[in-house]
Amino acid sequence: MTEKTVPFSLGTVNAIKSSCSTPFYIYDAAGIEKCVKDLYKAFSWNEGFKEYFAVKATPNPAILKLLASLGCGMDCASVAEVEMSRRCGIEGHNIMFSSNDTAPEDFRAANDAGAIINLDDITHISMLEKVCGVPDTVCCRYNPGTFLITNEIMGRLDDSKFGMTRVQLVQAMRILRGKGVKHFGVHAMLASSCLENVYYPHLAEELFGLALELRDTLGIELEFIDMSGGIGIPYLPEQTAVDIFSIGEGVREAYERLITPSGMKIKLFTEMGRYITGPYGYLVTTVLHHKDVYKHYVGVDATACDLMRPAMYGSYHHITVLGREDAECDTVCDVVGSLCENNDKFAVDRFLPRTQEGDVLVLHDAGAHGRSMGYNYNGKLRCGEFLLEKNGEVRLIRRAETVEDYFATLDIFPEFSKKG
């Protein structure tokens, strides 16, 4: 079981609402920091271990700077993510660039930043060479086709667009060595949102075996192995969080059994996103309406534009009625937004305390792939973000969009141009 608590009060929200209307996100800096420190402690046995935070999960400079101060690098997949990292003072091998179907300008931006480039396909070698030359450090993404653990989010690995086959990866390494690459790494993400403590240890065994094969067949000794992300969080209260220390110990056992006897020293990397910020981000929204037809609906001012996971995946996000945490959950309702789409629902047939107009609802576990997946359907404006500092203060880290922001790219028309 996982207790779902809120690290801020109704008074805190009301203070924010005096200058910024709901909806908005609040991130808990203390929770994020503890999570990162535990991760590093769990893998402290591996010299050179590094976490590359998946920027796509929570792309906000305040979050990136906080994580960088804790020793994290950044996992980027686009020009914008690379540029955001650079503007936060994060460059060089503190950036891991992992993308797929990669455009030339993306390779160029990653190379200009001095990032470690992780190639998704063997054919990308020629484009990389043409665009900016082949750097002396390169990583290759691996897809074994089958694996002991997978899930519906990633789907069947032999139906996945990500990564190279074992044969392709060996051939890619051979080609890259011929083009002057001196430092090699391998990357793999074979499951997503996994709550099984054995996922990383099993993944490590797979990749350690590949490392031994590359040494024996090509004479290439990997300098690092990137186990990517894939570790999940307990969205449902009845789920149990992973034990990161048990996971770290499982990977250590596999390393000492397979890699240590070989004499190789391989640095391990991770690329967490959801695991680090997911449980420590909250979407705050206000009840606007109640509707009783064939069901009881609670209408709020947030929509799927602010958090699309329930509409897209049918995902569960726990809901707290702030200030009524101890009230009986005696009302069955659907919690909905105002989009012209019937899947704009944050909860379906959920038991909550009876609400009133003006009540504040908090959606839990929204700190990753929440605001970052937002969009502007129906002309909805993307909401703001706040950071709850360790001292209890709350500061704005991204303002909400305005109508002028929405029209900003229409300035070719005089009636939409500020200059006009």
Side-chain angles (χ1 to χ4, degrees):
M1 294 289 292
T2 301
E3 186 179 5
K4 299 293 183 181
T5 59
V6 179
F8 49 87
S9 67
L10 180 58
T12 299
V13 170
N14 287 335
I16 296 173
K17 288 176 70 175
S18 66
S19 59
C20 176
S21 61
T22 54
F24 50 74
Y25 277 85
I26 299 180
Y27 305 100
D28 177 16
I32 293 171
E33 180 174 322
K34 182 182 185 303
C35 181
V36 172
K37 287 182 175 179
D38 284 348
L39 173 63
Y40 269 88
K41 186 176 179 180
F43 284 91
S44 59
W45 55 267
N46 179 254
E47 186 177 353
F49 171 80
K50 192 173 186 68
E51 156 64 17
Y52 286 87
F53 175 70
V55 175
K56 61 180 176 287
T58 321
N60 187 292
I63 301 297
L64 303 195
K65 289 178 181 179
L66 170 62
L67 294 172
S69 74
L70 298 170
C72 296
M74 299 299 145
D75 164 41
C76 299
S78 68
V79 172
E81 290 182 355
V82 169
E83 183 61 22
M84 179 178 286
S85 298
R86 296 188 75 177
R87 293 190 187 192
C88 291
I90 304 161
E91 292 188 297
H93 283 192
N94 286 315
I95 297 176
M96 177 72 66
F97 183 79
S98 299
S99 67
N100 68 96
D101 190 25
T102 308
E105 55 268 27
D106 292 331
F107 278 135
R108 187 175 294 110
N111 185 72
D112 289 347
I116 299 173
I117 294 176
N118 179 28
L119 298 175
D120 182 71
D121 188 65
I122 190 171
T123 63
H124 291 182
I125 298 173
S126 59
M127 177 183 284
L128 177 65
E129 184 175 36
K130 181 179 180 180
V131 169
C132 53
V134 178
D136 67 358
T137 300
V138 176
C139 184
C140 292
R141 184 166 183 169
Y142 174 52
N143 180 344
T146 59
F147 188 61
L148 290 170
I149 298 174
T150 187
N151 51 35
E152 294 180 357
I153 298 175
M154 285 291 290
R156 286 173 34 188
L157 292 177
D158 61 0
D159 193 39
S160 170
K161 69 173 183 173
F162 302 110
M164 308 180 202
T165 68
R166 202 177 190 96
V167 172
Q168 288 174 335
L169 187 139
V170 171
Q171 179 63 13
M173 293 280 189
R174 183 179 288 113
I175 293 170
L176 288 166
R177 183 176 59 184
K179 294 184 180 295
V181 174
K182 297 179 176 61
H183 311 285
F184 293 88
V186 166
H187 168 289
M189 180 175 174
L190 307 184
S192 180
S193 201
C194 188
L195 289 175
E196 299 180 60
N197 289 335
V198 294
Y199 167 60
Y200 259 12
H202 284 325
L203 174 61
E205 285 197 19
E206 176 81 25
L207 297 179
F208 295 162
L210 178 59
L212 294 172
E213 179 182 336
L214 290 169
R215 184 200 60 177
D216 293 342
T217 58
L218 297 180
I220 290 175
E221 293 193 1
L222 295 181
E223 292 197 5
F224 62 88
I225 285 176
D226 188 339
M227 297 184 293
S228 190
I231 303 297
I233 62 174
Y235 287 102
L236 295 163
E238 57 266 31
Q239 292 176 320
T240 301
V242 299
D243 182 345
I244 196 64
F245 296 103
S246 174
I247 290 171
E249 181 62 18
V251 176
R252 184 195 63 79
E253 187 280 327
Y255 186 96
E256 293 184 353
R257 176 165 42 87
L258 296 171
I259 298 301
T260 300
S262 74
M264 288 191 289
K265 291 186 178 180
I266 300 176
K267 293 179 286 188
L268 299 182
F269 300 156
T270 55
E271 293 175 357
M272 307 286 195
R274 188 190 318 271
Y275 177 74
I276 289 177
T277 56
Y280 310 109
Y282 305 82
L283 176 60
V284 180
T285 184
T286 301
V287 175
L288 297 178
H289 299 286
H290 294 85
K291 179 176 181 177
D292 289 285
V293 281
Y294 304 103
K295 302 182 74 173
H296 178 59
Y297 294 97
V298 176
V300 297
D301 57 4
T303 71
C305 291
D306 302 298
L307 179 64
M308 71 184 298
R309 296 187 72 256
M312 185 176 185
Y313 299 119
S315 303
Y316 178 96
H317 284 266
H318 196 69
I319 297 175
T320 292
V321 182
L322 208 57
R324 299 189 188 182
E325 289 85 348
D326 297 325
E328 183 180 358
C329 295
D330 57 359
T331 303
V332 181
C333 61
D334 286 10
V335 179
V336 304
S338 60
L339 294 185
C340 299
E341 298 291 338
N342 196 43
N343 68 347
D344 182 22
K345 299 177 179 180
F346 296 112
V348 176
D349 296 331
R350 184 77 60 86
F351 280 89
L352 293 175
R354 181 164 291 277
T355 58
Q356 300 175 356
E357 283 79 2
D359 279 346
V360 173
L361 305 189
V362 177
L363 279 71
H364 292 249
D365 304 309
H369 312 289
R371 173 61 166 73
S372 66
M373 294 177 72
Y375 56 107
N376 290 117
Y377 181 61
N378 267 171
K380 296 296 183 180
L381 305 175
R382 298 177 68 188
C383 68
E385 296 174 292
F386 292 83
L387 185 65
L388 174 63
E389 302 281 14
K390 290 193 295 180
N391 62 6
E393 295 182 0
V394 177
R395 66 181 175 101
L396 180 69
I397 59 174
R398 190 195 301 269
R399 66 168 176 80
E401 289 181 341
T402 67
V403 171
E404 290 305 320
D405 293 323
Y406 183 72
F407 292 149
T409 54
L410 296 172
D411 60 3
I412 56 174
F413 298 99
E415 61 269 34
F416 290 100
S417 174
K418 290 182 179 180
K419 296 179 181 180

